[in-house]
Amino acid sequence: LDMPFLLLAMMLLGIGLIMLLSASFPNAQASANLGNDPLYFIKRQAVFAVIGVGLMLWVSKINYERFRGLARLGLWMSLILLFLVLIPGPKANGRLLAISANGAARWLGIPNTSLTFQPSDLAKLGLIVFFAESISKKREKMKDLKEGFLYHIGILLVMVAMTALEPHFSGAILIAGIGAAMLVVGGIHWGWIAAGVSAVGLGTYLLAFTDVVENFFKAIDYNASRIAVWKDPFGGDLAFRRDAAWQTIQGLYAIGSGGLLGVGLGNSRQKYLFLPEEHNDYIFSIWCEEMGMVGAVVLMALFALLIIRGFWLALHARDRFGTLLIVGIMSLMAFQVFFNIGVVTGFLPPTGISLPFFSYGGTALMITLGEMGMVLSVSRQITAPKAE
């Protein structure tokens, strides 16, 4: 095993559990639906963490070449699960099987329990394994328009579209980012890379300097206010600041209240029912309040070290499949961390992206630890001679 990578992952997991306990106990204690149990969230997350660590160590012992055989099965299972979420039905959310939360129907599982999961989380992993296997096999054909670019971009667009229809735009963005990163590393023609960069630049311009994106969200009746909140959360009338912009404003108050060194672990004030999702998407705000700017820099440095170490392992992987597998997993980690921190600091428009190892969500934590196990599996063979 690559010990630096393993230790960094375990360190982030340990810090994340401590922070989840600190951030979640006021909410849990105040909720009659949760039995007024202050340890409700941490007890469940700890169970999934223990199972996840076991899963990580087990996966790390598997020869990663075996994952090749699961590539197509994983892709088809991902597409089937995404389709199950979209099946129309008589429920209030208009879906037959999907479970709703916060205005979106993107979960499957048992309602009103912790036994739920987002198919998009599994779809990301399914896409990574399939692209790693397919791109490594088509190494000499990746610059070809039909077999290299159109084949892979077609699969990617189908998965992105199905995720966006839930609606889950943040998940769709993550899937698109993972696919794009793997295609670039896989060696597609530079012209398509230039076209992709231009498209991202145009999208950024439309988002930041025009109302095109905001009007699009209004047209599809999906959280158009998020763009207005991002542009100026303190603007508008009092109703706007107490409704649409409330979470963003309270998150910024939490970050600002931390100052340089923070108010101390466990001493956050914003977590006392002022900041919504304080134990989930906005847990980084509570971290900043309690640990200050210094703590925020340390945490970002730990994530950066984990990601950099992962890409170092990718560079030294025994073959192209191992390289692409790690590139996909670490690109997902990098995008999640960047988008989550970007959202809570007001750098990016509000989206529903969790912070790996920190945000509450047992299934997501297990998947993340399983992905870390796949990276460790590749790391076991980096000392072997590289395959031609």
Side-chain angles (χ1 to χ4, degrees):
L1 288 176
D2 186 75
M3 292 307 296
F5 187 88
L6 175 62
L7 290 175
L8 285 166
M10 294 303 295
M11 189 181 301
L12 284 166
L13 175 62
I15 297 172
L17 290 173
I18 293 171
M19 196 61 230
L20 178 65
L21 171 61
S22 174
S24 67
F25 77 82
N27 188 335
Q29 190 171 36
S31 175
N33 292 332
L34 304 180
N36 302 111
D37 180 5
L39 302 179
Y40 177 88
F41 292 110
I42 187 61
K43 287 191 295 188
R44 282 155 179 77
Q45 191 80 341
V47 171
F48 282 105
V50 171
I51 298 173
V53 170
L55 177 65
M56 176 181 69
L57 296 176
W58 176 68
V59 171
S60 72
K61 293 183 178 182
I62 300 173
N63 186 332
Y64 69 91
E65 292 290 345
R66 293 180 179 271
F67 300 137
R68 285 181 181 269
L70 299 175
R72 291 187 179 277
L73 176 63
L75 178 69
W76 280 107
M77 288 300 298
S78 299
L79 294 173
I80 290 171
L81 288 172
L82 289 174
F83 174 74
L84 291 178
V85 175
L86 299 177
I87 297 176
K91 293 199 301 187
N93 59 23
R95 304 284 173 79
L96 181 64
L97 301 173
I99 299 171
S100 294
N102 299 324
R106 61 180 71 147
W107 288 266
L108 293 175
I110 303 175
N112 303 318
T113 71
S114 57
L115 301 177
T116 60
F117 69 97
Q118 293 190 68
S120 58
D121 288 336
L122 293 174
K124 296 164 194 170
L125 181 57
L127 179 73
I128 289 170
V129 177
F130 177 79
F131 265 33
E133 194 276 335
S134 179
I135 293 173
S136 63
K137 189 166 61 177
K138 296 177 181 288
R139 180 172 185 171
E140 305 303 326
K141 300 179 180 179
M142 286 307 297
K143 293 187 183 298
D144 183 78
L145 176 61
K146 181 179 178 181
E147 294 194 45
F149 181 75
L150 293 180
Y151 175 75
H152 293 97
I153 206 70
I155 294 171
L156 182 62
L157 289 177
V158 168
M159 194 168 285
V160 167
M162 294 178 73
T163 305
L165 288 172
E166 294 181 4
H168 188 13
F169 284 97
S170 55
I173 291 171
L174 284 176
I175 291 173
I178 297 165
M182 296 184 73
L183 287 174
V184 170
V185 175
I188 60 172
H189 193 277
W190 66 267
W192 296 109
I193 298 175
V197 172
S198 300
V200 171
L202 175 61
T204 303
Y205 171 79
L206 294 175
L207 179 66
F209 301 107
T210 73
D211 296 327
V212 172
V213 177
E214 187 174 356
N215 291 335
F216 169 75
F217 279 110
K218 287 180 180 177
I220 63 174
D221 192 26
Y222 180 73
N223 290 323
S225 61
R226 292 188 178 190
I227 307 301
V229 169
W230 171 61
K231 290 182 176 180
D232 186 8
F234 296 95
D237 55 19
L238 183 61
F240 173 79
R241 296 193 296 273
R242 286 185 172 180
D243 184 18
W246 177 263
Q247 186 177 45
T248 297
I249 290 173
Q250 297 303 316
L252 293 175
Y253 282 163
I255 294 172
S257 298
L260 182 64
L261 299 176
V263 297
L265 183 63
N267 294 328
S268 164
R269 294 178 290 272
Q270 291 300 110
K271 67 186 179 186
Y272 285 94
L273 308 185
F274 291 102
L275 175 62
E277 300 294 332
E278 76 293 328
H279 62 289
N280 204 333
D281 297 348
Y282 274 72
I283 195 170
F284 184 73
S285 295
I286 304 300
W287 172 267
C288 292
E289 183 181 7
E290 296 190 349
M291 308 308 292
M293 186 178 74
V294 172
V297 171
V298 169
L299 181 60
M300 289 188 287
L302 288 174
F303 273 115
L305 288 172
L306 179 73
I307 293 164
I308 291 170
R309 185 64 183 182
F311 281 116
W312 183 90
L313 293 172
L315 287 172
H316 293 80
R318 190 171 63 89
D319 58 15
R320 191 173 180 82
F321 175 69
T323 294
L324 288 165
L325 195 63
I326 296 181
V327 166
I329 292 171
M330 299 320 299
S331 295
L332 171 59
M333 175 72 67
F335 286 138
Q336 278 193 271
V337 173
F338 174 75
F339 281 119
N340 179 271
I341 294 178
V343 166
V344 301
T345 56
F347 180 70
L348 297 172
T351 59
I353 295 179
S354 59
L355 184 64
F357 299 110
F358 279 70
S359 296
Y360 177 71
T363 306
L365 179 61
M366 285 180 58
I367 293 173
T368 297
L369 290 170
E371 292 166 347
M372 299 301 99
M374 297 175 78
V375 175
L376 291 170
S377 174
V378 178
S379 79
R380 286 183 180 274
Q381 300 189 43
I382 62 172
T383 56
K386 275 198 171 185
E388 294 297 330

